[in-house]
Coordinates of all heavy atoms in Angstrom, one line a residue:
K124 N 0.0 162.1 107.1 CA 0.7 161.8 108.4 C 2.1 162.3 108.4 O 2.9 162.0 107.5 CB 0.7 160.3 108.7 CG 1.4 159.9 109.9 CD 1.5 158.4 110.0 CE 2.3 158.0 111.2 NZ 2.6 156.5 111.2
G125 N 2.5 163.0 109.5 CA 3.9 163.5 109.6 C 4.2 164.8 108.9 O 5.2 165.4 109.1
Q126 N 3.2 165.3 108.1 CA 3.4 166.5 107.4 C 2.9 167.7 108.2 O 2.2 167.5 109.2 CB 2.8 166.5 106.0 CG 3.3 165.4 105.1 CD 2.7 165.4 103.7 OE1 2.2 166.4 103.3 NE2 2.8 164.2 103.0
W127 N 3.1 168.9 107.7 CA 2.7 170.1 108.5 C 1.1 170.1 108.7 O 0.7 170.6 109.8 CB 3.1 171.4 107.8 CG 2.4 171.7 106.5 CD1 2.8 171.4 105.3 CD2 1.2 172.5 106.4 NE1 1.9 171.8 104.4 CE2 0.9 172.5 105.0 CE3 0.4 173.1 107.3 CZ2 -0.2 173.2 104.6 CZ3 -0.7 173.8 106.8 CH2 -1.0 173.8 105.5
I128 N 0.4 169.6 107.8 CA -1.1 169.6 107.9 C -1.5 168.7 109.1 O -2.3 169.0 110.0 CB -1.7 169.0 106.6 CG1 -1.5 170.0 105.5 CG2 -3.2 168.8 106.9 CD1 -2.0 169.6 104.2
D129 N -0.8 167.5 109.2 CA -1.1 166.6 110.3 C -0.7 167.3 111.6 O -1.5 167.2 112.6 CB -0.3 165.3 110.1 CG -0.5 164.3 111.2 OD1 -1.6 164.3 111.8 OD2 0.4 163.5 111.5
R130 N 0.4 167.9 111.7 CA 0.9 168.6 112.9 C 0.0 169.7 113.3 O -0.3 170.0 114.5 CB 2.3 169.0 112.8 CG 3.3 167.9 112.8 CD 4.8 168.4 113.0 NE 5.2 169.1 111.8 CZ 5.9 168.5 110.8 NH1 6.1 167.2 110.8 NH2 6.3 169.2 109.7
A131 N -0.5 170.5 112.3 CA -1.4 171.6 112.6 C -2.8 171.1 113.1 O -3.3 171.7 114.1 CB -1.7 172.4 111.3
V132 N -3.3 170.0 112.5 CA -4.6 169.4 113.0 C -4.4 169.0 114.5 O -5.2 169.2 115.3 CB -5.0 168.3 112.1 CG1 -6.2 167.5 112.8 CG2 -5.4 168.8 110.8
M133 N -3.3 168.3 114.8 CA -3.1 167.8 116.1 C -2.9 169.0 117.1 O -3.4 168.9 118.2 CB -1.8 166.9 116.2 CG -2.0 165.6 115.5 SD -3.3 164.5 116.2 CE -4.6 164.9 115.0
A134 N -2.2 170.0 116.7 CA -2.1 171.2 117.6 C -3.4 171.8 117.8 O -3.7 172.2 119.0 CB -1.1 172.2 116.9
L135 N -4.3 171.9 116.8 CA -5.6 172.5 117.0 C -6.5 171.7 118.0 O -7.2 172.2 118.8 CB -6.3 172.7 115.7 CG -5.8 173.8 114.8 CD1 -6.5 173.8 113.4 CD2 -6.0 175.1 115.4
T136 N -6.4 170.3 117.8 CA -7.1 169.5 118.7 C -6.7 169.6 120.2 O -7.5 169.6 121.1 CB -7.1 168.0 118.3 OG1 -5.7 167.6 118.2 CG2 -7.7 167.8 116.9
V137 N -5.4 169.7 120.4 CA -4.9 169.9 121.7 C -5.4 171.2 122.3 O -5.8 171.3 123.5 CB -3.3 169.8 121.8 CG1 -2.8 170.2 123.1 CG2 -2.8 168.4 121.4
A138 N -5.4 172.3 121.5 CA -5.9 173.6 121.9 C -7.4 173.5 122.3 O -7.8 174.1 123.2 CB -5.6 174.6 120.9
S139 N -8.1 172.7 121.5 CA -9.6 172.6 121.7 C -9.8 171.9 123.0 O -10.7 172.2 123.8 CB -10.2 171.8 120.6 OG -10.1 172.5 119.4
F140 N -9.0 170.8 123.3 CA -9.1 170.1 124.6 C -8.8 171.0 125.8 O -9.4 170.9 126.9 CB -8.2 168.9 124.6 CG -8.7 167.7 124.0 CD1 -8.0 167.0 123.0 CD2 -10.0 167.2 124.3 CE1 -8.5 165.9 122.4 CE2 -10.5 166.1 123.7 CZ -9.8 165.4 122.7
S141 N -7.8 172.0 125.6 CA -7.3 172.7 126.7 C -8.2 173.9 127.1 O -8.2 174.4 128.2 CB -5.9 173.3 126.3 OG -5.1 172.2 125.9
L142 N -9.0 174.4 126.1 CA -9.8 175.6 126.4 C -11.1 175.2 127.0 O -11.8 174.4 126.4 CB -10.0 176.4 125.0 CG -8.8 177.1 124.4 CD1 -9.2 177.6 123.1 CD2 -8.3 178.2 125.3
P143 N -11.4 175.8 128.1 CA -12.8 175.6 128.7 C -13.9 176.1 127.8 O -13.7 177.1 127.2 CB -12.7 176.4 130.0 CG -11.3 176.6 130.3 CD -10.6 176.7 128.9
A144 N -15.0 175.3 127.8 CA -16.1 175.7 126.9 C -16.7 177.1 127.2 O -17.0 177.8 126.3 CB -17.2 174.6 127.0
F145 N -16.8 177.4 128.5 CA -17.4 178.6 128.9 C -16.5 179.8 128.4 O -17.0 180.9 128.0 CB -17.6 178.7 130.4 CG -16.4 178.8 131.2 CD1 -15.9 180.0 131.6 CD2 -15.8 177.7 131.7 CE1 -14.7 180.1 132.3 CE2 -14.6 177.7 132.5 CZ -14.1 179.0 132.8
L146 N -15.2 179.6 128.4 CA -14.3 180.7 128.0 C -14.4 180.9 126.5 O -14.5 182.1 126.0 CB -12.8 180.3 128.4 CG -11.7 181.3 127.9 CD1 -12.0 182.7 128.6 CD2 -10.4 180.8 128.3
V147 N -14.5 179.8 125.7 CA -14.7 179.9 124.3 C -16.0 180.6 124.0 O -16.1 181.5 123.1 CB -14.6 178.6 123.6 CG1 -14.9 178.7 122.1 CG2 -13.3 177.9 123.8
G148 N -17.0 180.3 124.7 CA -18.3 180.9 124.5 C -18.3 182.4 124.8 O -18.8 183.2 124.0

Side-chain angles (χ1 to χ4, degrees):
K124 178 188 174 186
Q126 300 183 22
W127 70 268
I128 293 176
D129 181 28
R130 289 193 288 269
V132 170
M133 290 300 99
L135 287 175
T136 57
V137 171
S139 299
F140 277 128
S141 306
L142 290 173
F145 69 90
L146 178 61
V147 175

